Amino acid sequence: MSLQKQIMTSMKEAMKSKDTIALEALRAVKSEILLAQTKTGGSEGLSEDEEIKLLQKLVKQRKDSAALYTKEGREDLAEPEIAQAEVISKFLPEQLSTDELEKFIEGIIAETGASSMADMGKVMGIASSKLAGKADGKSISTVVKAKLSN
């Protein structure tokens, strides 16, 4: 089932259960999908990679907003953002654990022969494409920096 159909099904369920936070998050996803489709020229669907990137972007936006609200002492605004991020995250593939991510990055470093921070771009490029949807860029970057600085 395509992401758009999954979102529509979930929206119907959220409407029936009167879950306003989930409904708001799902409407945001639907809106982003429609915007992305109009950019590509119409009715064709998005590729799986494009869908994952779109969902990751929305989750990151929500988490960044929640962090800002928390920093400013506005927990009342941060909580809905966190809840929406969780709703959107359900549509992403299962995320790798830190240990799995470290092993994967170690494999890429060995494969590319990277030995210093100067090779970070090369490692990040390969890791980002292979781990699309399974780990966010910030996590990948943190592990790569730690491994290359040792």
Side-chain angles (χ1 to χ4, degrees):
M1 185 185 322
S2 75
L3 176 64
Q4 197 165 9
K5 289 179 182 174
Q6 290 176 345
I7 296 297
M8 291 303 294
T9 303
S10 297
M11 279 179 67
K12 289 175 189 172
E13 291 169 9
M15 283 181 203
K16 288 178 184 175
S17 65
K18 299 189 184 336
D19 185 349
T20 57
I21 291 187
L23 189 57
E24 191 174 327
L26 295 168
R27 283 183 174 150
V29 174
K30 181 182 175 198
S31 173
E32 284 292 322
I33 291 171
L34 293 174
L35 284 171
Q37 285 177 337
T38 55
K39 285 180 186 173
T40 60
S43 61
E44 70 218 35
L46 300 174
S47 71
E48 191 173 338
D49 285 345
E50 291 171 323
E51 289 174 347
I52 289 171
K53 285 180 184 174
L54 184 138
L55 291 171
Q56 285 178 321
K57 178 181 120 186
L58 291 171
V59 169
K60 184 179 183 321
Q61 286 174 343
R62 303 282 177 306
K63 287 182 178 179
D64 290 348
S65 295
L68 285 172
Y69 290 141
T70 303
K71 183 180 173 186
E72 297 298 321
R74 295 295 309 266
E75 292 299 323
D76 59 317
L77 296 175
E79 288 173 18
E81 293 290 332
I82 293 168
Q84 285 185 26
E86 289 172 8
V87 169
I88 297 168
S89 294
K90 291 177 185 173
F91 295 96
L92 285 169
E94 189 173 327
Q95 301 291 296
L96 293 176
S97 70
T98 306
D99 292 338
E100 293 170 324
L101 182 60
E102 286 179 3
K103 287 177 187 171
F104 200 88
I105 299 290
E106 287 170 1
I108 293 172
I109 290 172
E111 176 185 312
T112 60
S115 59
S116 68
M117 289 300 286
D119 300 319
M120 184 169 174
K122 182 174 22 172
V123 175
M124 281 297 296
I126 295 169
S128 295
S129 63
K130 286 186 177 182
L131 295 172
K134 296 178 184 171
D136 63 48
K138 187 175 183 180
S139 301
I140 295 171
S141 173
T142 302
V143 172
V144 170
K145 281 179 187 173
K147 296 293 179 188
L148 290 178
S149 62
N150 289 338

